[in-house]
Amino acid sequence: MGDTHSPQECCHEAAQAERSVVQPGKAALLKRLARIEGQVRGISGMIESDRYCVDVLTQVAAVKSALDAVALQLLENHMKGCVSRALQQGDATGMVTELIDVVKKVR
């Protein structure tokens, strides 16, 4: 995919204690998000043109599913990189707490 960083290198602390990420598969994620953005615009157009409710709801479900797939990919990247590194560095408690919180948000 042309990424130069392994998943283990994804997270690092910036100089001002802000977290930043070198996202593995960034181009693919952005492509998926652009497709989702187009789907959402399509839904707006469907509503604007008074399309049948079930057809609109079907497209909404498709967008939700696509966003869930993006979230799962991001979660996988986070676990393979950031979580793995934190566990190796002995920060298991903090990372597990963060991971539980993020899973609650994503589900």
Side-chain angles (χ1 to χ4, degrees):
M1 281 198 214
D3 292 317
T4 59
H5 301 282
S6 71
Q8 290 75 25
E9 299 173 5
C10 79
C11 297
H12 63 277
E13 297 295 324
Q16 294 141 351
E18 293 180 24
R19 292 184 282 189
S20 64
V21 175
V22 176
Q23 193 60 245
K26 181 178 183 175
L29 286 169
L30 290 172
K31 185 176 180 179
R32 291 172 90 174
L33 288 168
R35 192 176 312 124
I36 292 167
E37 184 180 0
Q39 286 178 290
V40 170
R41 282 193 306 270
I43 292 169
S44 293
M46 292 174 78
I47 292 172
E48 183 67 35
S49 62
D50 298 323
R51 293 281 302 269
Y52 183 57
C53 299
V54 173
D55 294 340
V56 176
L57 290 168
T58 298
Q59 291 306 308
V60 169
V63 167
K64 287 173 64 175
S65 177
L67 279 172
D68 286 345
V70 169
L72 286 175
Q73 184 62 58
L74 289 167
L75 183 59
E76 180 179 332
N77 293 349
H78 183 62
M79 291 179 71
K80 286 181 177 178
C82 306
V83 173
S84 176
R85 194 180 79 223
L87 294 176
Q88 290 170 357
Q89 294 174 349
D91 186 21
T93 303
M95 186 50 70
V96 168
T97 300
E98 179 186 73
L99 191 56
I100 289 169
D101 290 343
V102 77
V103 168
K104 286 177 181 177
K105 291 176 187 176
V106 172
R107 66 179 181 102

